Amino acid sequence: MATYQISCGATNMRTYDINFERFISRFSVSDDVYNLIGLARFDQSPISAYKRKKLVSVGFSFSGTVEKKQGAYRCGGTFSALKNAFPSGGYEEDVDYNPEHVVFFFGYSELASKNNVTFGFDVNYFKQNDPGLYSGTQYRSLYDQMSVGFLFYNYAPYAEHKNLYWYATPTLIFTVSDFDTIQAFAPAENAFIDALKSNIFTTSFDTFESIEYPTATKITAEIKDVSTSAVTTIENNLSISLKGVSSVNINIPANTTAKNKNYQWRAKLTTNDGETNFSEWADFTTVDAIPNAPIIKSPQSSYLDAASPIALSWTHDIDTGSTQYAYDIDYKQSGGWVSFKSHVVSAASTDTIPANTLEAGSFVWRVRTYNTDNVAGAYAESATNIIQARPQTPIIMSVSTLPKMVIAWQSSGQQAYELSIGAEKIYQFGIDKSYTYPGYLPDGSYAIALRVQNSQGLWSEYATANVSVKNVPISGEDIITATTISGGVRIDLGLPDVQDAVYLNECYVGEFYTVHEPQAATGDRYLLRDGVPIAKLDGTSYIDYESAGLSEYVLRVVSGGNYYDSPAVYAAPRIKYGVMAAADNPAEFIPLAYRLDSKPQPQKQLTKGYNQHYFSGRAQPVYDITEHYQTTWPLEYSMRRGDYAKLDAWAKAGKSLLIRYNDGTAIRGIAQGTNITKVLRDVLTVSLTVAVHDYTEAIDYV
């Protein structure tokens, strides 16, 4: 940096003969003060060649001679840089004096004992960064060569006639300079830059203060490969006024440098006033760091609705501050890690899991990022989140067309399922993913609907299918016969007689084309009453002690999902009026034939179910009426002591009772106590109430 000092001497100076008679005015501090004024202008030519230099300071040099007249004994004054404070051509009596523009008081000198006094001083009245004197009004007046005034005070007794003659040589001294040393400061020392992208490098310098500011016309950068010392030069043409400017940028094109290397750079600036030196070398690198584990932002420990998209966000964390090149995302629910996104080339720090992707339950995700060299860092793992989600719609894999239908499916998160087969709806808890229909469906078309429930109690959408069931009867000609017996029906199994043949000598004889020997069906045998399987048959007969009224009986032989049904027979148990038995041993029954005083008349009673609640401040309870009913049968019969003993034992054991009447009514329930209302010799009249319970008579096909 070159520094220059320019002296600007005063012009049109002369000797001033100043007496109190001409300058007694409003400038007087008191009646004892005479106010004397001098005026000087400065030559502008010395600084015209340095207007675009950087201003460092402005000084003022003053030397003068004062001649005492008529007893003047002391003198003082000020130096003022006052724009329009004094006229340019000389002094006037009516001066527009503004004391706020006074920038220096140079005191006073004693003159009482001397006729002539010579004195001088130097004042560095302006400095850059001087808050007291750094004012546009003041130093701009100097630059523009405005009038600079001198206000002298002559202190002497008022009664004396005093004159003061003075002559001075004032000089302004400007200190200016070229640029301060510029610095290559961006990128910072040892910073990383991406060689594949364009970059902006920056130089800095102190802000200019000048009369006419220079214009930067070019910036030149040199980039040196540390390993080879090869230098690449980059130039940008400019047109930037340096007024108020402290830095200039240069654009470094992409691929000026190579990846994974170390470099130095420096710069210089060219203006319309000259050229700076190069800055000192500054280091930078294109070797990227390995990324740290990213900073997980969200979601973290959150409840998330899988029915909506789930946004994942993170922050790329790398010591060089470089841009993320790519990322990987995995997530984990009940099993191991599942890759969601693999090596996505993007600087984005967000991604979204689509709606209805995740299952209900825990959810953890992790992410790792790649640096600009395509090197991956460590994974960052989120805290555990909870997914609230309906299970995914199950997939029905197969539905058999056999009467004993088998349905298989796939599902996730299943804790229970609801299955509809035609109009029949089945609810099951558990994780089984197949269902075998417990009975045998009649031929026809069936709509299948299946949905599953998860641990959060949410149901999936329905999976549906349609299937046609067709029984392929197994070969057989079995028949049954029904015989009414006391309290029950006896069923016997057999085969029809051989037709059009004669049994002779232990064989059938007759025409070949008319002889047919009936064959029994092969498979498991079940007895159906009114279409409901009630017993698996191992022998050739069965007694049904649980029927009431006329019933249809069919023998069903099952094998391989198909079946053979015998012709139906019809029968009703022989019951005089009614019978009662323990449900687990219906063959041991008590006759209910009479009551001592009148004919027994059992009547069913229905009671609506409700829930009862009490609330503070309300005198009466509030009821929630349910959809359920309670059914009871108040009964009263006369019976022998031995029969009562059986009933009493059943009641005390809490056994379920089976009561059947000849009109087809059947009651299954629990006796809510028994009460003997009358005793006549060996006959007891007993009252009891039977509360009906739910019961399924059908047995499972095995």
Side-chain angles (χ1 to χ4, degrees):
M1 178 183 71
T3 302
Y4 313 89
Q5 281 198 343
I6 306 102
S7 297
C8 300
T11 60
N12 68 326
M13 287 296 296
R14 66 180 186 274
T15 300
Y16 289 91
D17 180 1
I18 307 172
N19 61 67
F20 76 99
E21 294 175 344
R22 297 177 59 193
F23 293 101
I24 297 175
S25 67
R26 63 181 180 276
F27 302 114
S28 299
V29 177
S30 68
D31 290 341
D32 294 332
V33 178
Y34 294 94
N35 299 282
L36 309 177
I37 296 177
L39 177 67
R41 286 178 58 81
F42 293 88
D43 185 4
Q44 62 179 332
S45 59
I47 65 170
S48 61
Y50 297 92
K51 290 182 180 181
R52 291 194 295 268
K53 300 297 183 182
K54 188 176 181 67
L55 179 64
V56 178
S57 66
V58 178
F60 175 66
S61 176
F62 181 92
S63 63
T65 300
V66 178
E67 182 179 348
K68 181 178 68 173
K69 294 289 185 177
Q70 299 181 6
Y73 62 93
R74 54 186 173 179
C75 177
T78 66
F79 162 67
S80 303
L82 305 178
K83 184 175 183 179
N84 298 325
F86 299 93
S88 60
Y91 66 86
E92 294 183 2
E93 295 185 20
D94 190 10
V95 176
D96 185 12
Y97 170 69
N98 184 350
E100 291 183 359
H101 291 162
V102 174
V103 295
F104 179 72
F105 287 89
F106 57 84
Y108 64 88
S109 298
E110 291 287 347
L111 303 177
S113 60
K114 298 179 181 178
N115 289 331
N116 294 292
V117 176
T118 299
F119 59 94
F121 50 86
D122 294 316
V123 179
N124 189 19
Y125 98 96
F126 170 85
K127 292 182 179 179
Q128 187 179 8
N129 301 324
D130 185 338
L133 298 177
Y134 187 68
S135 127
T137 301
Q138 293 171 5
Y139 77 74
R140 187 64 58 200
S141 296
L142 299 177
Y143 287 152
D144 295 339
Q145 295 83 53
M146 303 303 278
S147 300
V148 177
F150 304 89
L151 180 63
F152 284 81
Y153 302 111
N154 181 27
Y155 299 92
Y158 178 74
E160 299 182 12
H161 239 278
K162 307 175 182 67
N163 287 327
L164 182 65
Y165 291 89
W166 64 272
Y167 185 85
T169 306
T171 303
L172 288 180
I173 303 172
F174 290 85
T175 303
V176 295
S177 71
D178 293 324
F179 272 94
D180 293 334
T181 303
I182 65 173
Q183 299 176 349
F185 81 97
E189 188 74 10
N190 296 316
F192 167 82
I193 70 162
D194 188 347
L196 302 181
K197 298 180 180 179
S198 62
N199 293 273
I200 295 177
F201 287 11
T202 305
T203 61
S204 68
F205 42 84
D206 290 338
T207 306
F208 251 67
E209 292 295 344
S210 178
I211 299 173
E212 291 182 4
Y213 292 89
T215 297
T217 59
K218 183 172 65 175
I219 183 170
T220 303
E222 291 184 346
I223 299 175
K224 181 169 66 175
D225 184 334
V226 173
S227 62
T228 65
S229 296
V231 174
T232 300
T233 300
I234 305 294
E235 291 184 346
N236 285 179
N237 293 323
L238 308 170
S239 180
I240 300 175
S241 170
L242 296 182
K243 180 178 181 180
V245 174
S246 61
S247 64
V248 175
N249 297 332
I250 182 169
N251 183 55
I252 307 299
N255 299 307
T256 300
T257 56
K259 294 185 69 62
N260 295 310
K261 303 193 78 173
N262 294 315
Y263 290 89
Q264 291 182 319
W265 80 286
R266 65 181 184 176
K268 67 178 180 179
L269 198 63
T270 303
T271 74
N272 59 350
D273 195 45
E275 185 177 83
T276 71
N277 295 324
F278 272 106
S279 65
E280 297 294 327
W281 288 103
D283 296 324
F284 70 90
T285 183
T286 61
V287 180
D288 207 354
I290 303 299
N292 303 313
I295 300 169
I296 297 287
K297 295 173 66 177
S298 67
Q300 292 267 54
S301 302
S302 301
Y303 284 90
L304 306 171
D305 182 4
S308 301
I310 296 176
L312 312 176
S313 64
W314 64 92
T315 299
H316 178 56
D317 185 14
I318 191 167
D319 295 339
T320 54
S322 61
T323 303
Q324 169 186 296
Y325 175 71
Y327 62 86
D328 298 327
I329 297 176
D330 304 330
Y331 68 81
K332 179 168 61 176
Q333 290 202 277
S334 57
W337 289 106
V338 176
S339 176
F340 172 60
K341 293 291 181 68
S342 178
H343 200 263
V344 177
V345 177
S346 172
S349 57
T350 61
D351 210 321
T352 301
I353 297 178
N356 302 313
T357 299
L358 301 176
E359 300 176 355
S362 65
F363 166 68
V364 179
W365 68 283
R366 68 182 185 181
V367 60
R368 68 177 179 179
T369 56
Y370 292 74
N371 67 10
T372 57
D373 297 326
N374 200 23
V375 176
Y379 274 104
E381 184 175 322
S382 76
T384 300
N385 303 279
I386 300 299
I387 301 296
Q388 293 177 312
R390 299 173 66 175
Q392 295 183 16
T393 303
I395 301 172
I396 297 176
M397 303 299 294
S398 63
V399 182
S400 68
T401 60
L402 299 174
K404 194 169 186 63
M405 182 182 291
V406 178
I407 304 171
W409 64 90
Q410 289 182 351
S411 65
S412 59
Q414 174 186 314
Q415 296 295 315
Y417 64 87
E418 173 197 296
L419 175 63
S420 296
I421 302 175
E424 187 174 356
K425 188 167 288 187
I426 302 103
Y427 292 95
Q428 294 283 356
F429 289 97
I431 60 174
D432 291 339
K433 295 180 176 59
S434 67
Y435 176 80
T436 301
Y437 188 74
Y440 286 79
L441 293 167
D443 290 358
S445 295
Y446 293 87
I448 308 299
L450 172 71
R451 65 175 181 169
V452 297
Q453 186 182 53
N454 63 14
S455 59
Q456 296 173 337
L458 302 177
W459 288 97
S460 71
E461 297 288 345
Y462 282 100
T464 60
N466 289 282
V467 64
S468 294
V469 171
K470 178 67 175 176
N471 178 45
V472 180
I474 61 177
S475 177
E477 298 172 273
D478 300 77
I479 61 171
I480 59 174
T481 58
T483 305
T484 298
I485 63 174
S486 177
V489 175
R490 177 188 175 95
I491 303 297
D492 292 295
L493 287 62
L495 293 171
D497 294 333
V498 177
Q499 301 296 317
D500 299 325
V502 177
Y503 190 74
L504 182 66
N505 295 327
E506 298 183 354
C507 66
Y508 290 102
V509 295
E511 295 294 333
F512 177 80
Y513 60 85
T514 62
V515 174
H516 172 71
E517 183 176 358
Q519 298 294 319
T522 301
D524 294 327
R525 297 166 176 266
Y526 294 87
L527 181 63
L528 278 59
R529 184 199 321 121
D530 297 326
V532 175
I534 61 171
K536 184 177 182 182
L537 304 179
D538 295 323
T540 59
S541 65
Y542 177 80
I543 298 177
D544 179 15
Y545 283 109
E546 298 184 66
S547 66
L550 184 65
S551 299
E552 177 191 71
Y553 292 92
V554 171
L555 172 68
R556 174 167 288 179
V557 184
V558 300
S559 177
N562 291 301
Y563 60 88
Y564 162 80
D565 280 351
S566 72
V569 297
Y570 299 86
R574 188 167 69 246
I575 299 173
K576 183 176 181 181
Y577 179 73
V579 292
M580 177 188 297
D584 59 358
N585 185 16
E588 186 182 350
F589 53 82
I590 299 170
L592 302 175
Y594 61 95
R595 190 169 61 177
L596 285 179
D597 297 332
S598 62
K599 183 179 179 179
Q601 295 178 338
Q603 293 183 348
K604 182 169 64 174
Q605 295 181 350
L606 299 179
T607 304
K608 186 70 172 177
Y610 62 87
N611 295 318
Q612 181 175 288
H613 306 280
Y614 289 90
F615 294 97
S616 177
R618 304 185 70 169
Q620 301 300 324
V622 174
Y623 297 94
D624 291 337
I625 307 301
T626 72
E627 61 180 326
H628 305 292
Y629 289 88
Q630 182 181 23
T631 304
T632 58
W633 290 82
L635 305 175
E636 188 174 30
Y637 291 101
S638 298
M639 62 186 67
R640 297 186 181 279
R641 289 183 182 274
D643 291 337
Y644 171 72
K646 294 179 182 179
L647 171 60
D648 186 55
W650 297 337
K652 289 179 179 178
K655 288 193 174 186
S656 175
L657 302 180
L658 172 60
I659 304 168
R660 295 174 292 143
Y661 295 99
N662 57 11
D663 65 356
T665 301
I667 303 170
R668 289 182 183 270
I670 302 296
Q672 296 179 331
T674 62
N675 183 31
I676 300 174
T677 61
K678 185 178 291 188
V679 178
L680 181 61
R681 297 186 183 90
D682 195 36
V683 177
L684 306 177
T685 300
V686 181
S687 66
L688 71 157
T689 299
V690 177
V692 176
H693 61 67
D694 189 41
Y695 174 74
T696 300
E697 188 175 14
I699 67 168
D700 291 334
Y701 290 95
V702 179

